[in-house]
Amino acid sequence: MMTETESQRTRSEPVLKIDGLRKEFPGVVAIDGVSLEVREGEIVGIIGPNGAGKSTLFNCVMGVHDPTDGQVYLGDRDITGEFTSRIVREGVSRAFQRARVFPELSVRENMIANGDHEDENLLGTLFSSAETTERMNDLVTQVGLWELRDRKAGELSTGQKKLLTIAAALMQDPEIVMLDEPTAGVNPNLIDDIISTIVELNEAGATFCIIEHDMDVVHALSDYVYVLNNGTNLTEGQPSVALDDPDVLEAYFGE
C-alpha cells in the first residue's frame, strides 16, 4: 500500500530524474544503472557506504563526468553530458563537501560572484542590480550571516562557510540544489543551524538533493531517501523505513 509521502510524491512533478545512469572508469564501474527522482519542493537524501557511487552520481549530474549510459533530466529537458556551465544555467546548483569560497572576498562579494554574469559587462558585474542585491541580502539573512556580511570569507568557521556556500548556490534561483555532505567537518554546535537553515530554505520553495552520512541529519532533513550500495540502487523510501531496512543495516554495519 502506498504511504502518504509516496502518494504526495506522485502528485508533484519531477525536477530531477536520473534514469539508468552508468559510469565506467578504466577497470571500474562506479555506478551501474542508478535511477532516482527528486520532485518539486522535496528534500531527497542519497546515502550509502563509502564507495557506493554517491559523489560520482553528483558529478555525472553536474557534467563533471560524462555518463557511460543512462540519462539525466531536469524537468523534461535531457541534460545528460552537457557542460557544467550549461547545466548550472539550466537550473542545477551545487555546494561541495569542502566549502569552496573566495577567501579574500567578503561574504556579500562571494554571493555576487555566484550570480549569473553571462552577457554582463564589467560595470554590471561590479554594480549589482537592485533585484540581485535584494536577493543577496535576503539569502545572507536567511542563513544567519547578515552580521558577518562584510567579513572576509576566509575568516569564517567551517560551518559558516558551509552556510555561505548554500546561500551562494541559491543566488541564481535554481530549480534544484545538490548538497554534498553539508554537515561534514562542522562543529556540532552549528549542525543544528545548518539543518534548520536548509529546512527554512526548503519551506521557502527550494528543492534539495543531499548526500549525507550522518543518519540523524538524514532523518531530520529528508522527505525521501535513496540508498546506494556498490554503485546500484539498494532501497528507497521514507527515512524511518528505508534506514531500518535489513539490507541497509547489512551494507552499513554488517548486521
Side-chain angles (χ1 to χ4, degrees):
M1 182 176 179
M2 187 177 294
T3 67
E4 181 180 351
T5 297
E6 290 167 336
S7 177
Q8 289 174 346
R9 293 193 95 216
T10 64
R11 294 197 295 268
S12 57
E13 292 297 320
V15 174
L16 180 73
K17 182 176 180 179
I18 297 170
D19 186 12
L21 208 64
R22 179 181 175 90
K23 178 58 184 176
E24 299 177 10
F25 296 102
V28 177
V29 178
I31 50 175
D32 188 9
V34 171
S35 297
L36 60 86
E37 291 183 345
V38 182
R39 293 179 175 262
E40 185 176 2
E42 283 188 322
I43 301 177
V44 167
I46 300 178
I47 67 171
N50 290 334
K54 304 181 297 297
S55 293
T56 300
L57 182 68
F58 265 30
N59 284 333
C60 286
V61 170
M62 296 303 305
V64 177
H65 299 323
D66 194 8
T68 305
D69 198 5
Q71 281 75 42
V72 180
Y73 297 95
L74 184 65
D76 59 1
R77 305 185 299 280
D78 188 343
I79 61 170
T80 312
E82 290 190 359
F83 289 116
T84 301
S85 58
R86 176 68 177 173
I87 290 170
V88 171
R89 286 190 58 78
E90 287 277 350
V92 186
S93 191
R94 180 180 185 178
F96 292 84
Q97 178 180 346
R98 179 174 292 181
R100 298 184 179 185
V101 300
F102 297 103
E104 295 302 314
L105 298 183
S106 71
V107 167
R108 287 197 292 186
E109 288 166 342
N110 268 268
M111 295 290 290
I112 293 171
N114 279 275
D116 184 1
H117 302 295
E118 187 173 43
D119 301 326
E120 188 176 75
N121 59 31
L122 179 59
L123 286 176
T125 302
L126 292 175
F127 300 98
S128 302
S129 67
E131 182 180 357
T132 298
T133 299
E134 181 179 8
R135 179 163 183 79
M136 171 185 65
N137 290 342
D138 286 346
L139 287 168
V140 169
T141 301
Q142 283 181 282
V143 301
L145 295 178
W146 180 251
E147 298 300 322
L148 303 173
R149 61 191 181 277
D150 294 319
R151 182 171 296 182
K152 288 184 178 181
E155 298 174 359
L156 302 179
S157 71
T158 299
Q160 290 166 339
K161 289 176 182 174
K162 288 288 186 86
L163 290 167
L164 173 55
T165 60
I166 292 170
L170 286 160
M171 268 298 288
Q172 296 189 43
D173 195 19
E175 294 188 38
I176 183 170
V177 180
M178 317 287 285
L179 300 181
D180 194 344
E181 297 200 46
T183 67
V186 174
N187 185 308
N189 294 328
L190 262 179
I191 289 178
D192 286 344
D193 289 343
I194 291 175
I195 291 172
S196 62
T197 296
I198 293 171
V199 170
E200 289 170 9
L201 291 168
N202 173 249
E203 290 174 346
T207 300
F208 292 98
C209 183
I210 302 175
I211 292 174
E212 182 56 66
H213 274 107
D214 189 319
M215 293 299 103
D216 290 335
V217 174
V218 173
H219 272 288
L221 280 177
S222 304
D223 299 308
Y224 201 79
V225 171
Y226 289 89
V227 185
L228 305 185
N229 190 37
N230 294 324
T232 63
N233 290 82
L234 180 61
T235 191
E236 64 182 84
Q238 295 173 264
S240 58
V241 176
L243 301 183
D244 288 334
D245 188 295
D247 290 336
V248 175
L249 297 176
E250 172 69 25
Y252 267 96
F253 309 113
E255 295 182 1

